[in-house]
Amino acid sequence: MKLRRKILLAIILLVFIPVILMGSISYYSFSRAMENKSNNFYWVSLLETDRKLKFALNEVTTVSNSAIAQPLIQQLVKQPNFTVTYDQKQDINNLINHPMITSFGLYSKDKLQYQFNEAMSFQELKQQSWYGAMEAAEGRPVWVGPGENGSAAAGKPVLIQARLIKDYYSLEDIGALVIYVKPDILDQVFWDAVTLKQGDILLVNKQGNIVFDKSGSYIGERTEFPFLTQEEPEGKGYYTAKYQGERSLITYLPSHNKDWYLVALTPSKLIASESNSIRDIAIVLVLVSLISAFLFDRFFVRRLVRSIIGAVNGMKRVQQGIFVPITSSVRSEDETDLLVDGFNRMSTQISELIEQVETEQARKKEFELQALVAQINPHFIYNSLESINSLAVLQGNKEISKMVVSLGKLLRISISENQQLITLAMEMEHVRHYLDIQKFRFEEQFDYRIEIPESLRHYMTQKLIVQPIVENALYHAIEPMKEKGLITITANEDERDIMIDVTDNGPGFSLDRLMNLWSKDEGNKNYRGTGVGLRNVHERLRIRFGSRYGILICSSPGHGSTIRIRIPKLLHDSAAVKR
C-alpha cells in the first residue's frame, strides 16, 4: 500500500470513525438520558396525581362512611316498609352532601328505599358488572369510573361509589349505598397533572378499560397494556411501544385503588426532538472532518509524499552511483525541505568520501610497497641476534646466549603486528622472557613466580598488557628495595571473566602517589622506554572489550601492591568479537 493511501486510511481510522462513534454514542446516550428523565418526570407526575386522586375520593368516602353509620339510614334500609318523612329526607340529604355528589340511592336487600335526584332500580343494580365487586368488598367503597360504568358512552359521564351497608351492631349486610359523583372531581385532579406537550395521562383498570384520561379523548376505550396481565407488577416502570398508531414512551404506576393504574403517554418524537441537536452536531463534525481531511490531503499529504518519493528516487540513484541533487520547485520552509537539503548534503558528502577513499586506497598501496621493503629490518635484527647467540655458544658464555635467546623471543612477540589478540600462554611467555632478561640486570635482587591454570592458557587476550604492569613493579617497587623482592603473577576466573593479579612485596604507595603516576603516564607515553604505561593498558582494554574491563590498583604504604587486570573469556573462534 502506498504511503498516501496509508495516511488517508490513518485519517479515516483516527478521525472519521472516532467522530462517527462519538456522535452515535453521544446521541444514543443523550436519548437514553432524555428517556430516563422523561420517565422520572412522568413517574413523579403520576405519583402526585395519584395522591391528589386519593385525597379527592377520600372526601366522598368520608361522607359515605359517616352516613351509613347513622341510625336514620340504618333504620331505613333494615325496614322495607319504612316511610320517609319530609324532615327525614332533608336529614338524609344533609348526611350525604358534597359539592361533587349529583345523586345517590339507598337500597335494602331487595329494593330501592330512597333516592336523591335519579338512581337506578334494584334490578338494574344487580345487573351491573361491578355489583359482584361491591359484595366482595364487604362494606369497603368500590369506585367505578366513567369508562367502566358505561356513562361516558351514554354521553353523561359520572363517577360511581358503591358500597354495602352493614348493621351497626351485628355487621350483617342490610343494604347498599350508590353515590353518583360529578366527573369534574377527576377533571380537577388530572388537569393539574404535569405533562409534556402532546402528552397524556390515563386512568386504566385491570381489564384494560380507560376509566378516565386527561384529554378526554379515550374514555371508555379498551387497551392492551402488557403490565395489566402481570400478577405482581413493579412499583413503577416504563417501556416504549406503539399506542394509537404512534410510537410512545409509556410510563405506568399502580394507583392507591388496587383496580386502577395511572399511565402516562409521551410521543417518542417529542423525546427524540431533544436529541436532534446532538445528532446535527455529530453530522456537522463528520462533514467538517471530511472537508479537513480533503484539505489536509490536498495541501500537506500530497506535497509530503511527493518530497518522500523524490528522496526515495534519489536513494535509488545513489545505489547506482549517480549523485544528483534533488530539486524542489516549491519550498515550504518545513521538515520536508530539511529532508531534501539533508539528502543533498549527504549525497555530496558521499561523493567526496568516495573520492577520498579512492585516494586513500592509492596511498595505501604505496605504503604496502614500502612495508615490504621495511620487513628487511626485523629479519636483519633476528639474524643479528642469532649470530650473537652462535658466537656466545662457541665461546662458552651460556648467560649471554640465554639472554640473547630471551631477547629474540621477546622481540618476536612485541614487534609482530599481524595480530592484536594472543593466547594467555603466549602473553605469559612474553612476560617470562622479559623477567629473565631483567634478572641479568638485577641479579639476585628479586624472584618471580607465574601461576596460570592449564584451563586458562588457551583463552585469548590483548597483547602486551601484563608486561607493562610487571615493568612498573620492577622500577617502582623492586628497584628501591634493600631486601629481596618478589613478583607474583596469578590468574583465576569467574563465570564470564578472567582476573590476572600482579603482586609485589614492595613499599607500596599512597593515593596521591598513584594519581601522580597516573597523570604522568597520560602525559608521557614513552614510560621508561617501553612506550606503554598503566593508563595506556587500562584504556586499551576498555577500547577493545568495553567499560567493564581494565585494571584495578590496590596498594597502601608498607604493604606492597596488587594490580588486577580484568579481561573477558574469549576463545579463538570469538577472539575477534568486541564486547
Side-chain angles (χ1 to χ4, degrees):
M1 185 182 294
K2 293 185 177 180
L3 179 60
R4 188 175 181 183
R5 293 180 180 176
K6 289 182 179 179
I7 296 177
L8 291 177
L9 179 61
I11 293 175
I12 292 174
L13 294 177
L14 299 177
V15 179
F16 288 169
I17 294 178
V19 168
I20 293 173
L21 287 177
M22 180 183 67
S24 301
I25 293 173
S26 299
Y27 179 73
Y28 175 79
S29 300
F30 191 77
S31 299
R32 292 292 297 175
M34 288 301 302
E35 187 174 305
N36 291 331
K37 182 179 179 181
S38 299
N39 172 64
N40 292 331
F41 167 80
Y42 267 114
W43 182 77
V44 173
S45 179
L46 293 180
L47 197 63
E48 180 65 16
T49 301
D50 187 57
R51 186 188 66 81
K52 292 180 179 180
L53 177 63
K54 181 180 178 181
F55 179 79
L57 297 182
N58 280 345
E59 289 185 358
V60 178
T61 301
T62 301
V63 172
S64 65
N65 285 340
S66 176
I68 62 177
Q70 297 301 316
L72 177 60
I73 293 179
Q74 289 271 317
Q75 186 179 10
L76 174 65
V77 297
K78 282 194 294 184
Q79 298 178 9
N81 298 321
F82 185 83
T83 302
V84 183
T85 64
Y86 177 79
D87 293 335
Q88 288 175 332
K89 288 181 180 181
Q90 295 298 320
D91 291 339
I92 293 172
N93 293 341
N94 290 332
L95 288 175
I96 308 175
N97 182 32
H98 190 276
M100 291 297 173
I101 295 177
T102 60
S103 61
F104 62 87
L106 286 168
Y107 300 84
S108 64
K109 288 187 175 181
D110 55 2
K111 68 176 182 178
L112 174 64
Q113 290 289 91
Y114 178 81
Q115 63 177 342
F116 173 73
N117 288 340
E118 294 183 1
M120 67 183 72
S121 66
F122 183 77
Q123 288 72 23
E124 291 176 332
L125 175 64
K126 293 186 68 174
Q127 293 175 0
Q128 298 300 315
S129 59
W130 42 266
Y131 183 78
M134 181 187 71
E135 289 184 327
E138 293 290 337
R140 292 184 297 273
V142 174
W143 287 96
V144 186
E148 297 174 290
N149 55 37
S151 61
K156 295 180 179 180
V158 65
L159 179 65
I160 295 177
Q161 184 194 80
R163 64 190 302 175
L164 292 178
I165 301 176
K166 290 183 175 290
D167 184 83
Y168 188 80
Y169 299 99
S170 64
L171 297 181
E172 293 180 357
D173 296 338
I174 57 176
L177 171 63
V178 177
I179 300 175
Y180 300 85
V181 182
K182 295 178 183 179
D184 297 348
I185 193 172
L186 297 178
D187 280 333
Q188 291 178 1
V189 170
F190 279 74
W191 184 257
D192 293 337
V194 181
T195 59
L196 295 178
K197 183 181 179 182
Q198 300 180 15
D200 199 1
I201 294 182
L202 311 179
L203 185 62
V204 184
N205 63 14
K206 288 187 175 181
Q207 289 71 41
N209 295 322
I210 298 178
V211 177
F212 194 81
D213 74 307
K214 181 179 180 179
S215 63
S217 304
Y218 308 112
I219 299 177
E221 293 185 3
R222 186 169 181 80
T223 62
E224 295 182 356
F225 293 122
F227 58 85
L228 297 176
T229 59
Q230 296 177 3
E231 295 182 1
E232 295 182 0
E234 299 177 357
K236 65 171 182 175
Y238 73 97
Y239 63 96
T240 303
K242 278 193 173 183
Y243 182 78
Q244 299 292 336
E246 185 175 16
R247 190 168 183 82
S248 303
L249 173 66
I250 300 174
T251 307
Y252 61 90
L253 176 73
S255 175
H256 73 281
N257 187 336
K258 63 180 181 179
D259 294 325
W260 290 346
Y261 279 89
L262 286 165
V263 181
L265 302 174
T266 310
S268 295
K269 63 182 181 181
L270 290 180
I271 301 175
S273 64
E274 300 292 333
S275 306
N276 289 341
S277 59
I278 301 296
R279 180 198 60 194
D280 296 340
I281 291 174
I283 294 174
V284 170
L285 287 176
V286 171
L287 293 177
V288 170
S289 300
L290 181 63
I291 296 173
S292 300
F294 173 77
L295 297 176
F296 181 73
D297 175 71
R298 179 67 178 82
F299 295 103
F300 179 74
V301 174
R302 185 176 178 184
R303 190 179 58 80
L304 174 64
V305 171
R306 186 183 301 163
S307 299
I308 295 176
I309 291 175
V312 171
N313 293 332
M315 291 289 185
K316 292 180 180 179
R317 290 194 297 268
V318 169
Q319 290 179 350
Q320 299 172 357
I322 303 173
F323 300 94
V324 180
I326 300 174
T327 57
S328 178
S329 58
V330 179
R331 293 187 64 85
S332 56
E333 302 299 332
D334 57 13
E335 285 77 3
T336 56
D337 292 333
L338 295 177
L339 174 64
V340 172
D341 295 339
F343 176 82
N344 291 337
R345 287 195 301 270
M346 181 193 69
S347 178
T348 303
Q349 291 175 357
I350 291 176
S351 178
E352 294 174 353
L353 286 174
I354 290 177
E355 295 179 359
Q356 182 178 352
V357 169
E358 291 176 351
T359 303
E360 293 289 340
Q361 289 294 331
R363 294 178 62 187
K364 183 178 179 181
K365 290 182 179 180
E366 181 180 352
F367 290 151
E368 286 177 351
L369 292 175
Q370 295 177 0
L372 291 175
V373 176
Q375 286 182 358
I376 300 173
N377 293 334
H379 288 292
F380 173 75
I381 294 174
Y382 299 148
N383 292 335
S384 299
L385 290 174
E386 287 294 334
S387 299
I388 295 172
N389 181 43
S390 300
L391 183 60
V393 171
L394 290 176
Q395 294 182 357
N397 195 330
K398 295 182 179 181
E399 292 183 354
I400 294 177
S401 175
K402 184 178 179 181
M403 186 174 181
V404 169
V405 170
S406 295
L407 180 60
K409 292 181 178 180
L410 184 68
L411 290 175
R412 286 185 184 275
I413 297 175
S414 301
I415 297 177
S416 61
E417 296 182 355
N418 57 348
Q419 60 184 104
Q420 291 296 321
L421 297 179
I422 60 176
T423 63
L424 193 59
M426 185 178 294
E427 176 70 9
M428 293 305 165
E429 181 183 358
H430 175 265
V431 174
R432 183 178 289 108
H433 290 311
Y434 172 76
L435 288 172
D436 287 341
I437 294 173
Q438 293 296 336
K439 288 281 286 182
F440 286 102
R441 174 174 177 265
F442 288 95
E443 296 180 349
E444 299 299 324
Q445 190 174 349
F446 78 95
D447 285 332
Y448 71 88
R449 185 171 69 251
I450 300 176
E451 298 176 355
I452 304 298
E454 188 64 29
S455 60
L456 301 180
R457 297 178 63 84
H458 299 290
Y459 282 102
M460 306 300 292
T461 181
Q462 178 88 344
K463 185 174 67 173
L464 296 177
I465 61 171
V466 180
Q467 184 269 332
I469 309 300
V470 173
E471 185 175 358
N472 182 79
L474 281 173
Y475 285 101
H476 291 284
I478 304 302
E479 187 174 15
M481 292 176 59
K482 295 181 180 180
E483 62 273 12
K484 191 171 185 178
L486 175 63
I487 297 176
T488 303
I489 304 171
T490 59
N492 55 81
E493 62 178 323
D494 59 16
E495 184 177 350
R496 55 183 293 189
D497 298 330
I498 297 174
M499 283 71 69
I500 304 171
D501 294 337
V502 179
T503 304
D504 64 71
N505 62 344
F509 47 86
S510 63
L511 179 61
D512 293 338
R513 175 63 176 162
L514 171 62
M515 298 307 297
N516 187 37
L517 292 175
W518 193 266
S519 60
K520 287 183 177 179
D521 191 22
E522 179 183 14
N524 183 15
K525 291 185 178 181
N526 192 22
Y527 166 65
R528 300 285 297 199
T530 65
V532 181
L534 294 179
R535 184 160 186 155
N536 182 283
V537 173
H538 181 70
E539 294 297 334
R540 284 194 297 126
L541 289 174
R542 289 170 62 88
I543 292 172
R544 167 68 66 174
F545 301 121
S547 60
R548 173 184 172 86
Y549 302 99
I551 65 173
L552 174 66
I553 303 174
C554 298
S555 181
S556 63
H559 295 86
S561 303
T562 297
I563 298 179
R564 170 165 290 185
I565 305 171
R566 179 181 290 271
I567 59 174
K569 284 183 176 179
L570 292 177
L571 293 174
H572 188 271
D573 293 339
S574 59
V577 179
K578 179 180 178 180
R579 295 195 180 186

